[in-house]
Structure formats: C-alpha cells, structure tokens
Amino acid sequence: MEHVPALDEDLKKTLGPATAKVLAEQLGLHTALDLLHHYPRRYAERGELTSLAELADQIDEHVTVVAQVADARILTFNGGRGKRLEVTITDGSGRLQLVFFGAGVHKPHKDLLPGSRAMFAGKVSRFNHKLQLAHPAYEPLGADASDRDAAAAFAGQLIPIYPACAKLESWKIAKCVDAVLPSAREAVDPLPPALREGRGLVPLTEALLKIHRPGTKADIDDARQRLKWDEAFVLQVALARRRHADSQLPAVPRRPAPGGLLDAFDAKLPFTLTQGQQTVSKEIFDDLATDHPMHRLLQGEVGSGKTMVALRAMLAVVDSGGQAAMLAPTEVLAQQHHRSITEMMGELAEGGMLGGSDQGTKVVLLTGSMGVPARRRALLDLVTGEAGIVIGTHALIEDKVQFHDLGLVVVDEQHRFGVEQRDALRSKGKQPPHLLVMTATPIPRTVAMTVFGDLETSVLDQLPAGRSPIATHVVPSKDKPHFLARAWERVREEVDKGHQAYVVCPRIGDGEDDPKKKAAEDDGERRPPLAVVEIAEQLTRGPLAGIGVEVLHGRMDPADKDYVMRRFAAGEVKVLVATTVIEVGVNVPNSTVMVIMDADRFGVSQLHQLRGRVGRGSAPGLCLLVSEMHEASPARARLAAVAATLDGFELSRIDLEQRREGDVLGQAQSGVRSSLRMLAVIEDEEVIAEAREEATRVVAEDPALERLPGLRTALEALLDTEREQYLEKG
C-alpha cells in the first residue's frame, strides 16, 4: 500500500534528507502541507512555445523555458584541449544560447538534436551582450519514437512550472509534489460549508489536485478561484479577530472641553478647514469619545493637511486632561513637525511659560541627539504632565520615557515603523491609548483592507485652498542634453523670482556608499547613481554658480541637518541638494521647483511623495524628472505615468502592478514569507472586499471560532509568532 504522508510530516521522510534540505533552505518548505501550497507559477502546454522574449528582464533569475533546438555545435579552444557545446534554442519569439563546457558536453550533444524539444532551467546571464543559460538542466519532451513513453506522460498535459531555485529545477519540484499529492485528501477545509456552497467553490482537496495536476484550463480556473478565497478569507478573519479583540479593550473616552484648548486654537486659524478635513476630524472625534481604543488609518494626499487634522485630535485629548505623542521616522521630520506645530499654535504652545496662554500646554521635542539638560527637561515635562504634546523619534520608545497620562499616539509614515515600536509606545499608557496612524503614500482600497485591515480608514483627498498645481516633465538628459541645461536655467529663473529649489539624488557620495557595490546591484552596464556631494559641487561650479547651494543627507550630524533645514526654511539657502530625507513632511512653501536626478531609480510612489514638497505656497510648482533611460524602456514609461497625473491613488495602483505582492505586504520589512501565494491585491479587489464582509460576520457570530475547527486550524498555521507580528504590520 502506498505511503500517504501526513500533512505536517517533515519532508525528509517522504523525499529524503538531501532534497528536503534544499526545499527548506531555498524555498522555506518544510512539510507536505507547505509543498502542497507551493503553487505553479504558470503552465506550459506541449504545443505552446514559451516566450524567450521576456528573458531580458530576468537577468540573474532562475527560469524555466520550453523551446526547440535550432542548432548545436561543439567548439574547441586551447589548441583543441578544451571543448564547448553551444546550443541555440528558439520558441518563435526569440532565440537563446545555451553553453556547456568540458567533459559535460557529450550527453547534451547527444540529447539536444536540432528539432527536438525540451524544458530548460537555469540562471539567465549576459555574455558579450547576448543572453545565455550556462550548463542548464534540461528534460527532453520526447518527440522521437524511443521517447514515446515519456511523450505519452506529457502528451496533452498542462506542464506546471514551479517557482524554483538553482539546486532544484521546476520539474524536480513537480516530482516532489507528486510524492505528497495523495495527502491532499487529508487537507482540512477552512471555509464554512455554507460560504463555500453559496459561492460555488470547489472543495479544498479538489482545488489542490487541480492546481498541481490540471486536466484542462477550466481546472486551473476552478482551483485558483477557490485558493484565492482561502487566502483572502483566512487573512481577513485574522484581521477581523484583531479588530474584535481591540474593541473589547478599555480606553478612556477623550472629549474636548467646550471653550478649551481646541476651541481657542480653531478661533485663531487664519483659514477654514476643507470639507475633507472637517469630515475626517468628525470621524476621529467620534472614535476618541468611545470607551475602547480608536485604531484609525489616516491616508492623505501629499499636502492635504493631515498634520492639521492630527494636531486637532491631539488638542482634543489634551483638553480632556490627557497627553498626546507623535512618533516621526526621522529627526529632520520630528524637528519639522515640532516647528510647524508650535508655529501653528503660537502662544497656545507655551502653557505655563511667561507670555503663554492660560489655556495653552507645553509642546516638547524628544530626539536621540538632544543634549542631556534639554532631554532631562523634556522627560520631566512628560512625567509631570506639564507637556500635553510630545513629538519625537524612536527616542520616545525608550524605557526612561514615562507619561503622566498618555491618551493618544499618532504614528507618522506608518510604513517606516515596526510593530514592536508602535506597541512599545502604546504600552506607556495606563490604559491602551487611542491610535492614529498617518501615511502620505496613497494606498488602493484593497491594499488598505489587506495590509491595514485592523484599522478603520479615513481618506483626505482634497487639497487646501491656495495650494498650487504642480507641473511635472520628464527630462531625457542623454537623448536631449539641452533639456537638462534648460532645467538648470529654470531653477535659476525661480531663484531670481525669490523662490527656492530642491535637487534630489539617489546617493550621498561621501565616500561611505561604495559606487562599485551600487553598480553591482544594477546589471553591470549602468554607471553608479548620481550623488548629492558630486552634483552639489558641479552645480556650484557650473550652472548655479553664485547661488546659495547647500547639501542635506542622512549621515550628517543632526545639529548640522537642523541648521541647514532652518536656513532653507528661512530662505537663506536657495537650492538644497538632498537625498530622500526630504521625502516626507518637509514644508517650505517658498520652494517652487524640484529636479530629481536619476529619477528612474526611484519608485512611483516615492517620486509622487518627493514632488509634493513643491507648490505648497501660492506660486505654481514644477517637478523635473531627469533620466538617461531610453524612451522605450519600462523605466521611462513609469516616469511618464508620474508626469501624467497628480492622483496619488492612481499612481499607487501603477506602482503596485509593477512590484511583487510581497513587497506591498511588508514582507521586506518583516522578513516573513508573504502568506499570499495566489491572491493579487489589485486584481482580486472583489474577492478581498467580499471576504472582509464574510469574515466580519463570522467573527461577530463566533469570535473564538468554536463552531469552525477547520478555520481555526488554518488560522493557527497562518499565525505562528512571526506571522502574528507581520499581521500587526508595523
């Protein structure tokens, strides 16, 4: 009788220690269940020629191609002592060279006859400007008589192509899957039967068999639909349970006092809040007034006035006798927030100080680089309750920092913080404080539901009155060098009108960031990215000579950074050459032009963020995206998309479609494999939205999932400790 491996059985027992070791180390697969959830990336058909044309974008990637041998020849070198076999394969879309060396040339020379077809797997490299696979593994797809048995196995079959690695090709993984496939019968179905039947989804066992060994394309569609629902639903149940648990926690309701600090602040505002700011503020004030903690994500376009909304929430909490803490990702940003908040509040930020308002409070700054006396004073103001508002960096999280009564935590640029940091700050409240998370990176609705699914979402998509439009243009510096010369003339013209400019570069260039290492990250044919230090020097000597040019980057001493930012804000520095330290929160309304060098090296959302630093006053903004990339390249298409729209949500969709799902789900930050193998957060919007509704309903009826043991098991598999943190997202 055949051995059917248990789903949690270690793969060593079924596949042997050597194969199991490769699967564990290279692909993170340890059990039969892991392997069953390692789905094919796509399927090749015997009659279908897989595209070789796409390989140019996959340098250094391990690929599997199905192609026909066009010719094969043995060449000798070293006076006949060395042998090299060169095989050219084709699939109608392109040609690719395979090379074999030394004693290893004879077998492939015999196997790979012109006209024969095979699957080839190897790492794509470039040699003499041509793509090649060196020593690829191959599996003939038997067309001649002697191979009829092998051909019969493949005939009419859809061949699964698995995500593979150098030590284990796709077809070897297929053989491993064959060994564990019988255990799919034991798989516990996580979906409630009513939900599965109501949506016409196939049972889990059937889905696993069809995804790995489909008979038809319809089988693949059935399986995908079912497995997408599993992923979406289990993830949304985990998030719904988190929301439910949070709603059971106690919190102190925080309501602003009539005639108090918030009213005094509103009375001195020189402008009216936008409709969007008023709506979002109401949502936040309603949450703050409840006796369980607010968990809200505030998304706002660059320059939509999020800081104003957050400040009014903080003032409401101070009004009710509590304290508010704002956590910023960098010292530059913390100092900037502190400056702009104290300016907006005026004498209301000087509570208890000479000349301060009776209704006021103290607003303190706490960062790692502060001197001991200033730090000691800030800590004392927090523990006594003298300071109602504190703005700081990671320094806020340290053990020494204690609050009198922490009522609200505001996290700025959420994606820069880990879950531990967010929770460490929240744990400083006597009861769980309310939480407001802000991001200026617009997130499509389903990504917000997936990545920030434990938070309620508010969106600010209206720009305050008086904000100017920003014109964006691509400057092709290689094809049209005179365009770049004109860009520097435009900077000079803006400075002559009394305005200021940013020039952004991808690298610092102070000797510590090694250009060789940087070049190695590219394909070896591009020059190192442009650097702040070098560009500043070129501009000072050349096109911007005689204008005040200064540099700003992350490795400068914090006091120097603050000094440069203050002088730029005061208008003394006319042109700031910087890295992306200016990406978020920097607010200098007099800056009207930004030149982004090597713009193709930045992501779409990042370019949108950077561009939001100009046009913040009454004069129109101009953003110039400088690139040497060819007009037909994907990088230039990305830049054209940024130039074509100011809608951050539209750009975030473009960005997401060009990146892997795992990046979106914070996998890069958490080091955890993405739990989404089948679900695509942009394409599967409907599935995610419907799964969220179903999950919320299921958890409301049965929070402990006592009546759904299959779902509980699936959750436990998803929520090992690492995944638990990954879901809490930081």
Side-chain angles (χ1 to χ4, degrees):
M1 204 175 107
E2 64 168 337
H3 167 66
V4 177
L7 288 170
D8 57 358
E9 188 172 289
D10 193 301
L11 290 170
K12 281 187 202 127
K13 282 191 180 173
T14 321
L15 306 174
T19 304
K21 186 172 183 233
V22 175
L23 286 169
E25 287 176 3
Q26 302 286 317
L27 298 168
L29 307 174
H30 303 274
T31 65
L33 188 64
D34 289 344
L35 190 48
L36 287 174
H37 285 302
H38 186 71
Y39 307 132
R41 181 179 284 153
R42 58 190 174 83
Y43 301 83
E45 295 174 72
R46 293 207 62 229
E48 169 212 13
L49 293 170
T50 310
S51 169
L52 294 179
E54 293 162 18
L55 294 186
D57 296 331
Q58 299 186 48
I59 301 290
D60 286 339
E61 298 261 331
H62 290 280
V63 298
T64 303
V65 296
V66 177
Q68 188 162 13
V69 177
D71 65 65
R73 57 206 176 117
I74 289 184
L75 306 171
T76 56
F77 53 95
N78 277 355
R81 289 196 300 280
K83 285 185 177 172
R84 181 170 85 240
L85 170 65
E86 287 184 0
V87 178
T88 305
I89 59 172
T90 178
D91 68 352
S93 78
R95 294 165 85 80
L96 179 67
Q97 192 169 62
L98 317 176
V99 288
F100 301 86
F101 293 98
V105 301
H106 300 295
K107 187 171 188 325
H109 193 218
K110 196 168 79 205
D111 293 342
L112 301 175
L113 301 170
S116 65
R117 289 166 52 74
M119 287 199 285
F120 301 93
K123 189 173 172 181
V124 184
S125 58
R126 191 179 260 132
F127 181 72
N128 281 346
H129 302 290
K130 275 188 180 166
L131 295 180
Q132 67 169 27
L133 298 184
H135 278 285
Y138 61 90
E139 180 93 336
L141 295 185
D144 55 78
S146 66
D147 243 346
R148 275 212 189 107
D149 293 345
F154 279 108
Q157 208 182 56
L158 291 156
I159 304 162
I161 307 291
Y162 287 93
C165 61
K167 294 181 178 171
L168 212 58
E169 298 85 14
S170 170
W171 55 84
K172 288 187 182 162
I173 293 174
K175 286 174 181 162
C176 297
V177 170
D178 282 337
V180 300
L181 207 50
S183 62
R185 287 177 233 144
E186 312 300 316
V188 182
D189 202 318
L191 293 191
L195 189 158
R196 184 174 65 71
E197 286 154 19
R199 295 193 172 271
L201 299 168
V202 300
L204 179 59
T205 298
E206 190 181 323
L208 289 170
L209 293 171
K210 283 181 167 176
I211 200 76
H212 290 292
R213 300 296 171 261
T216 63
K217 286 185 177 172
D219 284 352
I220 299 170
D221 291 342
D222 286 351
R224 280 189 184 198
Q225 211 40 44
R226 164 62 215 245
L227 295 167
K228 279 179 180 185
W229 251 95
D230 278 19
E231 285 178 9
F233 183 68
V234 173
L235 187 57
Q236 290 300 337
V237 166
L239 293 165
R241 288 184 79 192
R242 233 187 115 71
R243 290 195 301 276
H244 183 269
D246 285 340
S247 72
Q248 307 302 304
L249 291 173
V252 179
R254 307 283 181 176
R255 296 181 185 87
L261 181 56
L262 180 62
D263 285 352
F265 176 75
D266 284 349
K268 67 193 282 295
L269 277 181
F271 52 81
T272 319
L273 296 176
T274 64
Q275 185 55 54
Q277 285 174 317
Q278 290 176 33
T279 306
V280 169
S281 289
K282 184 180 180 319
E283 291 172 351
I284 290 171
F285 290 153
D286 288 350
D287 282 359
L288 289 174
T290 60
D291 55 8
H292 57 82
M294 163 171 83
H295 286 91
R296 190 165 283 280
L297 169 70
L298 172 56
Q299 290 193 67
E301 272 290 13
V302 178
S304 58
K306 290 184 303 301
T307 310
M308 174 58 73
V309 169
L311 174 56
R312 292 183 73 246
M314 293 197 284
L315 295 176
V317 169
V318 175
D319 249 355
S320 73
Q323 290 168 293
M326 183 185 241
L327 184 61
T330 64
E331 294 215 352
V332 167
L333 191 49
Q335 286 158 345
Q336 174 84 31
H337 276 318
H338 183 252
R339 250 195 314 275
S340 61
I341 283 173
T342 47
E343 279 166 19
M344 282 194 272
M345 286 176 67
E347 75 281 0
L348 294 173
E350 295 165 0
M353 294 152 77
L354 205 59
S357 162
D358 293 342
Q359 291 163 308
T361 186
K362 226 185 220 185
V363 179
V364 300
L365 176 70
L366 190 65
T367 66
S369 67
M370 281 166 72
V372 174
R375 188 181 173 77
R376 199 173 285 144
R377 212 165 36 247
L379 291 173
L380 188 64
D381 285 341
L382 287 180
V383 78
T384 58
E386 189 87 4
I389 294 177
V390 59
I391 294 142
T393 54
H394 297 77
L396 277 178
I397 295 163
E398 291 170 10
D399 293 344
K400 288 193 199 102
V401 181
Q402 291 184 342
F403 290 85
H404 178 65
D405 179 15
L406 181 60
L408 170 66
V409 173
V410 178
V411 180
D412 192 19
E413 287 310 314
Q414 158 73 13
H415 62 282
R416 305 276 188 102
F417 290 101
V419 57
E420 300 84 4
Q421 295 158 324
R422 192 173 92 179
D423 283 354
L425 184 51
R426 284 173 63 194
S427 69
K428 291 181 181 289
K430 294 188 174 78
Q431 281 199 323
H434 298 280
L435 175 71
L436 178 64
V437 164
M438 299 199 295
T439 177
T441 308
I443 306 166
R445 177 171 149 266
T446 44
V447 181
M449 278 196 274
T450 309
V451 184
F452 297 108
D454 59 333
L455 302 170
E456 300 302 326
T457 305
S458 294
V459 178
L460 268 181
D461 50 10
Q462 197 182 359
L463 292 187
R467 272 294 158 84
S468 306
I470 305 169
T472 308
H473 302 284
V474 178
V475 177
S477 55
K478 204 169 189 175
D479 312 346
K480 298 177 179 170
H482 58 288
F483 275 32
L484 183 58
R486 176 69 190 122
W488 300 127
E489 281 172 22
R490 283 291 289 116
V491 171
R492 211 173 241 291
E493 286 164 16
E494 288 300 308
V495 171
D496 288 346
K497 286 184 203 165
H499 296 305
Q500 290 160 274
Y502 297 101
V503 178
V504 181
C505 303
R507 194 163 62 87
I508 297 173
D510 58 357
E512 286 191 43
D513 48 359
D514 180 6
K516 285 190 191 126
K517 182 171 152 232
K518 208 66 193 144
E521 288 169 17
D522 298 311
D523 59 15
E525 296 189 1
R526 291 177 74 185
R527 57 156 174 73
L530 294 170
V532 166
V533 178
E534 293 150 20
I535 292 292
E537 204 175 306
Q538 286 170 24
L539 293 176
T540 312
R541 286 204 312 263
L544 302 185
I547 290 175
V549 176
E550 294 265 355
V551 302
L552 182 74
H553 58 74
R555 277 210 288 269
M556 284 163 65
D557 180 85
D560 294 343
K561 274 193 284 197
D562 192 41
Y563 177 64
V564 171
M565 260 329 290
R566 277 180 191 279
R567 289 177 55 233
F568 187 63
E572 294 163 31
V573 173
K574 299 301 177 192
V575 178
L576 190 63
V577 184
T579 55
T580 53
V581 289
I582 57 138
E583 181 186 344
V584 287
V586 173
N587 183 25
V588 180
N590 191 40
S591 307
T592 54
V593 59
M594 174 178 283
V595 182
I596 304 179
M597 308 302 290
D598 280 346
D600 48 90
R601 294 180 188 258
F602 298 95
V604 168
S605 292
Q606 199 173 26
L607 291 170
H608 181 60
Q609 287 276 330
L610 286 164
R611 163 172 70 182
R613 301 300 113 215
V614 296
R616 298 175 78 87
S618 53
L622 173 66
C623 179
L624 301 172
L625 307 173
V626 180
S627 171
E628 291 187 352
M629 298 304 275
H630 188 270
E631 195 172 359
S633 65
R636 276 285 291 278
R638 265 201 339 262
L639 298 183
V642 175
T645 179
L646 287 171
D647 181 341
F649 286 93
E650 176 56 32
L651 288 174
S652 69
R653 288 186 74 96
I654 293 168
D655 198 14
L656 199 48
E657 281 159 7
Q658 293 174 342
R659 286 159 48 197
R660 297 195 313 279
E661 298 294 336
D663 296 346
V664 176
L665 295 172
Q667 174 185 354
Q669 288 94 314
S670 66
V672 178
R673 273 165 44 110
S674 165
S675 59
L676 301 193
R677 296 178 175 88
M678 189 60 78
L679 201 66
V681 280
I682 284 289
E683 289 163 34
D684 299 317
E685 246 173 295
E686 269 177 49
V687 175
I688 292 167
E690 289 170 17
R692 183 180 166 106
E693 275 176 37
E694 293 274 13
T696 307
R697 188 181 53 71
V698 164
V699 170
E701 288 170 10
D702 181 9
L705 307 178
E706 285 167 0
R707 299 192 291 280
L708 297 165
L711 179 53
R712 229 175 33 242
T713 306
L715 264 186
E716 281 156 15
L718 175 76
L719 299 183
D720 51 38
T721 340
E722 283 186 305
R723 290 271 164 76
E724 187 73 87
Q725 290 178 358
Y726 151 80
L727 271 181
E728 290 179 352
K729 261 131 9 248

